């Protein structure tokens, strides 16, 4: 089951929006559908309550829907009196329950606010986690007497680290990326410069707490180490990049979609400069969003949306979903077959492998640790290359 939000990015083409859920078994008819007062810009499934969806709308409203309910009205919705954003909401993200076990989520908007919304018994309570201040090219705050009007940066995206829960990243319309902390909301911990146009997506690596990706309207995807001010690797995709996402099964593989209708898949452990797959998905539309199935390599489905209200589902071929474990197993099997063939006897290709005696068992590394080490090695190589230059 996956959810799709319908709306327009064009200021002159605003109207109602729709929120629908589909299954791959029945892609022609939604399982759930409701109309919203404005276009849906973003949405997020709750990780523990699979029927709950929070959405952000073009008019600044955030709302929570229950996909199991027969009614199509939201169960919670922000209002002007209760902290509604004044600009479009570009991203929403559920968080861990608070001490009172209340559900809560964050939102970010062009009005410069990162806001925490808490689902209380009767209403949606809000508190501003941070207001995004403009910074100069050197990273210093912009001092302005009219700061309430011109001193706020337009937020485009954010991402909260799963491995360091207090850290989060914010991407802005000015091309800056800011590292922030939930515990220290008056200053940025660090500002990263490199993009020259709006940053559309930032994503922490799900395996390695040091690394994150960003994509921008400046045609590039960049990989960063959050402890260093400059990017480690930059990928030129030849067109505006709408979205980027790490795969849930490999620490070095990610996909990005572009305005020329293509999906680009990179595996940095195989090739650090060229995509291992470049797939034309649509002919006359711009790809805007993509998402992987979080079940991982067991169900390697990639869903891609475009600006003509179509959604395409793609399945990644086996060579696009290598992990440290599967690659090591394949290499060991190929080596054993080659050795057997060179010896002139023994098992041939496809034969049942020889059983290992109890005292000869080889200790297997933790797959998660192997993925972390794999990306760490790439990061260290990129840092050494920067030092040499």
């Amino acid at each position: 089951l996956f959810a799709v939000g319908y709306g327009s990015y064009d200021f002159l083409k605003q109207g109602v929006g729709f929120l629908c859920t589909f299954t791959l078994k029945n892609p022609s008819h939604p399982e759930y559908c409701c109309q919203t007062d404005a276009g849906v810009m973003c949405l997020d499934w709750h990780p523990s309550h699979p029927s709950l969806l929070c959405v952000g709308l073009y008019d600044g409203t955030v709302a929570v829907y229950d996909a199991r309910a027969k009614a199509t009205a939201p169960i919670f919705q922000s209002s002007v009196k209760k902290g509604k954003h004044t600009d479009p909401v570009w991203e929403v993200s559920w968080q861990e329950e608070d001490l009172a076990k209340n559900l809560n989520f964050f939102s970010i908007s062009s009005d410069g606010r990162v806001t925490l919304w808490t689902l209380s018994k009767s209403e949606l309570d809000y508190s501003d986690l941070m207001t995004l201040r403009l910074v100069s090219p050197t990273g210093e705050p912009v001092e302005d007497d009219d700061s309430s009007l011109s001193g706020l940066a337009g937020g485009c995206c954010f991402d909260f680290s799963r491995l360091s829960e207090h850290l989060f990243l914010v991407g802005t319309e000015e091309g800056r990326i800011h590292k922030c902390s939930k515990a220290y909301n008056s200053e940025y911990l660090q500002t990263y410069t490199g993009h020259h146009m709006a940053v559309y997506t930032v994503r922490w690596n799900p395996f390695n707490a040091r690394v994150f990706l960003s994509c921008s309207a400046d045609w590039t995807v960049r990989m960063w180490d959050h402890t260093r001010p400059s990017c480690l690797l930059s990928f030129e995709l030849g067109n505006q990049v709408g979205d980027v996402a790490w795969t849930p099964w490999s620490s070095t593989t990610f996909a990005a979609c572009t305005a020329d209708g293509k999906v680009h898949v990179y595996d940095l452990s195989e090739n650090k400069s060229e995509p291992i797959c470049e797939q034309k998905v649509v002919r006359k539309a711009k790809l805007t969003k993509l998402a992987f199935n979080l079940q991982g390599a067991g169900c390697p489905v990639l869903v891609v949306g475009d600006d003509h209200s179509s959604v395409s589902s793609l399945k990644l071929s086996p060579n696009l979903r290598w992990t440290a474990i599967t690659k090591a197993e394949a290499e060991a099997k190929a080596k054993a077959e080659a050795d057997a063939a060179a010896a002139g006897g023994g098992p041939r290709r496809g034969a049942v492998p020889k059983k290992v005696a109890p005292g000869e068992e080889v200790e297997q590394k933790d797959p998660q640790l192997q993925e972390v080490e794999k990306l760490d090695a790439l990061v260290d190589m990129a840092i050494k290359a920067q030092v040499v230059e």
Side-chain angles (χ1 to χ4, degrees):
L1 186 73
F2 60 93
V4 182
Y6 295 90
S8 174
Y9 292 128
D10 191 338
F11 176 76
L12 299 176
K13 296 180 180 179
Q14 290 306 310
V16 298
F18 287 91
L19 174 66
C20 302
T21 62
F22 292 89
T23 63
L24 295 178
K25 293 182 179 179
N26 184 16
S28 60
H29 186 75
E31 302 292 316
Y32 172 85
C33 184
C34 67
Q35 182 175 306
T36 58
D37 295 333
V40 178
M41 297 292 103
C42 54
L43 52 82
D44 189 33
W45 287 104
H46 195 284
S48 304
H49 302 273
S51 65
L52 291 183
L53 269 168
C54 60
V55 302
L57 306 185
Y58 193 89
D59 66 353
T61 301
V62 295
V64 178
Y65 289 84
D66 187 347
R68 295 177 304 182
K70 294 182 180 180
T72 58
I75 57 175
F76 291 94
Q77 184 169 335
S78 64
S79 63
V80 176
K81 294 182 179 179
K82 293 293 182 179
K84 173 183 169 182
H85 289 287
T86 55
D87 278 347
V89 179
W90 296 118
E91 192 156 4
V92 288
S93 177
W94 287 103
Q95 298 297 301
E96 294 287 337
E97 296 177 2
D98 61 18
L99 295 176
K101 298 298 182 183
N102 291 319
L103 302 183
N104 60 86
F105 64 93
F106 284 105
S107 64
I108 188 169
S109 167
S110 302
D111 64 6
R113 293 164 53 205
V114 178
T115 304
L116 172 65
W117 302 90
T118 304
L119 281 62
S120 63
K121 291 184 179 179
S122 59
E123 61 185 4
L124 200 58
D125 298 326
Y126 83 99
S127 62
D128 287 338
L129 175 67
M130 175 171 276
T131 52
L132 305 174
R133 295 169 298 99
L134 286 171
V135 294
S136 67
T138 60
E140 296 297 322
V142 173
E143 299 294 337
D144 196 325
D145 293 336
D146 298 326
S147 59
S148 62
L149 297 176
S150 61
L152 294 182
C156 290
C157 56
F158 59 13
D159 194 31
F160 293 82
S161 174
R162 299 177 186 175
L163 305 176
S164 302
E165 61 181 35
H166 68 287
L167 289 181
F168 67 97
L169 298 165
V170 173
T172 67
E173 294 174 350
E174 295 76 33
R176 305 278 189 272
I177 301 171
H178 305 295
K179 180 172 67 174
C180 312
S181 171
K182 294 180 185 177
Y184 186 68
N185 57 13
S186 60
E187 298 286 342
Y188 302 133
L189 300 182
Q190 190 162 357
T191 296
Y192 307 93
T193 57
H195 288 297
H196 308 295
M197 298 178 72
V199 179
Y200 287 150
T201 305
V202 286
R203 288 290 177 264
W204 289 102
N205 188 279
F207 296 91
N208 194 310
R210 293 168 57 190
V211 179
F212 68 92
L213 281 176
S214 63
C215 74
S216 168
D218 65 6
W219 298 13
T220 64
V221 172
R222 295 176 184 263
M223 189 176 85
W224 310 76
D225 179 343
H226 80 84
T227 62
R228 300 177 66 85
S230 58
C231 75
L232 300 174
L233 296 171
S234 180
F235 310 92
E236 178 77 40
L237 300 190
N239 220 301
Q240 178 176 303
V241 187
D243 199 5
V244 67
W246 294 101
T247 62
W249 58 82
S250 173
S251 64
T252 57
T253 308
F254 66 88
C257 62
T258 51
D260 56 357
K262 292 181 180 178
V263 170
H264 307 255
V265 180
Y266 284 81
D267 187 345
L268 303 181
S269 63
E270 298 292 329
N271 192 325
K272 292 189 286 293
S273 57
E274 299 291 334
I276 56 174
C277 174
E278 189 176 295
Q279 180 77 33
K280 184 78 170 177
V281 179
V282 291
R283 291 178 178 270
K284 297 181 180 179
K286 298 178 181 179
L287 298 182
T288 55
K289 289 290 180 182
L290 56 78
F292 281 100
N293 182 357
L294 297 180
Q295 290 183 1
C299 188
V301 175
L302 175 64
V303 179
V304 188
D306 63 47
D307 65 351
H308 284 191
S309 301
S310 296
V311 179
S312 306
S313 60
L314 312 171
K315 183 177 181 181
L316 276 69
S317 60
N319 64 311
L320 298 182
R321 49 182 195 263
W322 285 111
T323 66
I325 294 295
T326 57
K327 188 173 182 180
E329 288 175 349
E331 289 174 350
K333 183 179 178 182
K335 186 176 183 299
E337 291 173 349
D339 292 344
R348 299 291 180 183
R349 181 176 291 274
V352 178
K354 180 183 175 183
K355 289 186 178 180
V356 180
E360 299 176 3
E361 287 150 351
V362 180
E363 184 180 353
Q364 291 286 343
K365 278 190 176 181
D366 178 22
Q368 184 94 3
L369 181 60
Q370 281 191 287
E371 291 296 334
V372 173
E373 291 174 349
K374 184 171 69 168
L375 187 55
D376 271 337
L378 280 168
V379 170
D380 292 340
M381 286 175 59
I383 292 173
K384 288 178 182 178
Q386 286 185 342
V387 172
V388 171
E389 291 175 1

